[in-house]
Amino acid sequence: MNSAAWHARIEAGGEVAGAGFLVTPTTVLTCAHVVHGAAAGALAVTFTELPGFPTVAARVVADGGWGGGATDLGDLAVLELARPVAAAPAALAPVDAADGPRADRPRKLVVYGFPVGFDEGTLAEYRITARQLLNGEWIQLEAWQPGGQPLAPGFSGAAVALADTGEVVGMVTAAAGDRGVRNGRMMPTEVMARHWPALEGLVPTCDHRSADRARLRELVERAVREGLDDDPGRRVRLYEAARGPLDPDAPEEGFDSLRAAALFVLCEVDGDDAAATVARFTAHVESLFAAPVEVAAAPVWSPILVDLRRSGAGDGRVLVEVSAYSDGRRHPVGCDTVPQAGVRAYVQDRIEAAFRHLTPGCDELIAFALPREWIDLPVDRWASAPDDETPLGCVYPLVVTDQARRRAGMRHQLARAWKRLDSAPGARVHRVECDGPEEPRRLRMRLRRDDACLAGFGSGPGASRTRPHFDTTVSAPAPVVVWSREGCGAGPDEDCAGGDGCAGKAFLDELDACVSQVPPAELPRLVLTLREEADAEDGHWAHDIQLLWDDPRVFADPHGEPPAHTRSPVA
């Protein structure tokens, strides 16, 4: 139980009436019969595990409709405290957590009550007799061992908690009543939530392991103690950086505390990827305690833009334009119609010339603007120079973009999205996997929301099963798109069942873990590092990574850009 400070002693007119437990900083739950008949203003709550903390006045604000009889249903009362309590509320366990892993190995349960002679409290050890609900309301408790503390008046309203984790599974409502009989009844949390629906939001799903829940709560309580819970915006950012593509949105009103954000993760996130979301959120909370370090300045990109498109002058010829951006101005470097076999050499030569226009010491960036049908071109694998076979993408940060995204309307949308992403602590991945991607129209709506950042594809745009989703993503427009040119292993027109055997899923798993704490503006640097690692290591997951990244502000020219392709393509 770890001396949990959420245990409460309920007093009426100065006399001990029973027990209760704190579920929010201002809310205590107990039995209705504990507070029944108490005069107005006579109720008070003492937290015996908080030495020196004064007794707090309380009033009943809700109940379960208890009729007053020993077997009447709804024996629940909700007390509102006159002021918040500076203690961590009780952690509730998932439904059915009181069951042991096997029928012959029940879990030990601990109850903290205040029987006569134990005003400071005492413990009793119990277990459930069976999972069966009696009258749809109670579960029978029986003593863990014959000589233990029996349930008695003063235990009513006490939390029934798991001995190993301290999480609450129910509340004591009655003892056997016969001398020498060591059993009783508890109202499980799911029944309590039926009588008081607000409790539903405090019961975690069964998709999270006890150790994971305990670790997260430990970190949250530490953050609260150390004063790191003073930024409402950061609570939302922590959740947004952690949540998966199918997880619910953060509440519009945000979270009123870090505890509330953690409870949201534990109670509202479920499904196959719930554990991964909890792990990411826990890692983000843990990062709050990192020793202060000098944060590297965000890159001030000075890009070299390579624009490739079909020339219109016949098959096998490409119109190539290379420009440099420096100090907010665009400097044309070269524009020509080039035979396809000579494109690489032409680009090498013009990139070298473009560096003369960049501000010394700036962050260089090579960007290729490509037609949609060429967007998968492995330009990062092109040799960096005639006498140097090192891949271009292993020498400079290199990205691609779709030429359609150069239109003014789309640039305006992207600039607005990037302004929002400036404060993002990491690049959250919206996964588009082989095994059942969402319908393209729904994907478009999802990617146009304010929290959209990075769309990740396990297969490249050549795969027919995901091509409509890729086209939708690029035109939504998603600020960042990443995919594996190698794909999932299935052919372009073959179906893939996804799952653990899918190389595309493995790519997205690695990508998700890699970018979750990297600001979107830093992604070209990160991908440069990944490409260097992949070039030196056979079988590296990022060997064929393609990054579509285009912050229009990086390519802005306040004086207006010169018209592209000033020469006629058929000259």
Side-chain angles (χ1 to χ4, degrees), residues 2 17 50 86 126 193 238 314 323 383 405 501 569:
N2 299 321
L50 291 176
Y126 275 75
L238 287 173
S323 306
R405 291 164 67 108

Side-chain angles (χ1 to χ4, degrees), residues 34-52:
V34 169
V35 297
H36 180 66
L43 288 177
V45 177
T46 298
F47 295 91
T48 58
E49 294 297 312
L50 291 176

Side-chain angles (χ1 to χ4, degrees), residues 339-426:
Q340 189 169 344
V343 169
R344 295 191 187 188
Y346 184 88
V347 168
Q348 288 171 350
D349 180 67
R350 296 308 183 273
I351 286 178
E352 186 62 29
F355 272 98
R356 301 189 186 102
H357 296 278
L358 301 187
T359 303
C362 69
D363 295 287
E364 72 278 1
L365 175 71
I366 310 296
F368 280 78
L370 304 170
R372 182 74 53 86
E373 64 270 23
W374 292 355
I375 201 69
D376 211 27
L377 201 65
V379 290
D380 60 289
R381 306 287 287 277
W382 290 5
S384 58
D387 57 352
D388 185 356
E389 291 298 317
T390 305
L392 191 62
C394 293
V395 178
Y396 309 111
L398 185 149
V399 302
V400 301
T401 187
D402 188 289
Q403 285 169 344
R405 291 164 67 108
R406 306 285 296 163
R407 295 197 300 263
M410 196 170 290
R411 284 164 67 91
H412 179 78
Q413 295 180 59
L414 282 166
R416 186 175 62 226
W418 275 99
K419 184 176 181 180
R420 168 179 49 78
L421 292 178
D422 285 341
S423 61

Side-chain angles (χ1 to χ4, degrees), residues 7-80:
H7 292 296
R9 186 176 69 203
I10 312 300
E11 300 160 11
E15 299 293 331
V16 176
F21 55 102
L22 190 73
V23 292
T24 80
T26 58
T27 308
V28 167
L29 300 185
T30 188
C31 290
H33 77 258
V34 169
V35 297
H36 180 66
L43 288 177
V45 177
T46 298
F47 295 91
T48 58
E49 294 297 312
L50 291 176
F53 190 82
T55 295
V56 185
R59 64 188 183 97
V60 178
V61 294
D63 60 54
W66 180 62
T71 59
D72 287 344
L73 307 182
D75 191 4
L76 172 71
V78 182
L79 307 186
E80 182 182 74

Side-chain angles (χ1 to χ4, degrees), residues 434-518:
C434 299
D435 53 342
E438 57 195 305
E439 200 272 338
R441 288 176 298 177
R442 293 184 62 84
L443 177 61
R444 178 185 299 277
M445 293 175 59
R446 177 69 187 84
L447 294 173
R448 290 177 70 89
R449 292 194 335 215
D450 284 346
D451 61 340
C453 177
L454 188 159
F457 283 75
S459 296
S464 60
R465 60 187 169 275
T466 54
R467 181 56 189 254
H469 302 82
F470 185 86
D471 291 341
T472 296
T473 298
V474 172
S475 60
V480 184
V481 189
V482 180
W483 66 94
S484 168
R485 292 192 301 264
E486 187 176 66
C488 69
D493 300 317
E494 297 177 13
D495 290 332
C496 174
D500 293 337
C502 174
K505 180 181 184 302
F507 172 85
L508 291 177
D509 289 342
E510 295 281 3
L511 177 70
D512 202 355
C514 193
V515 305
S516 63
Q517 298 189 55
V518 177

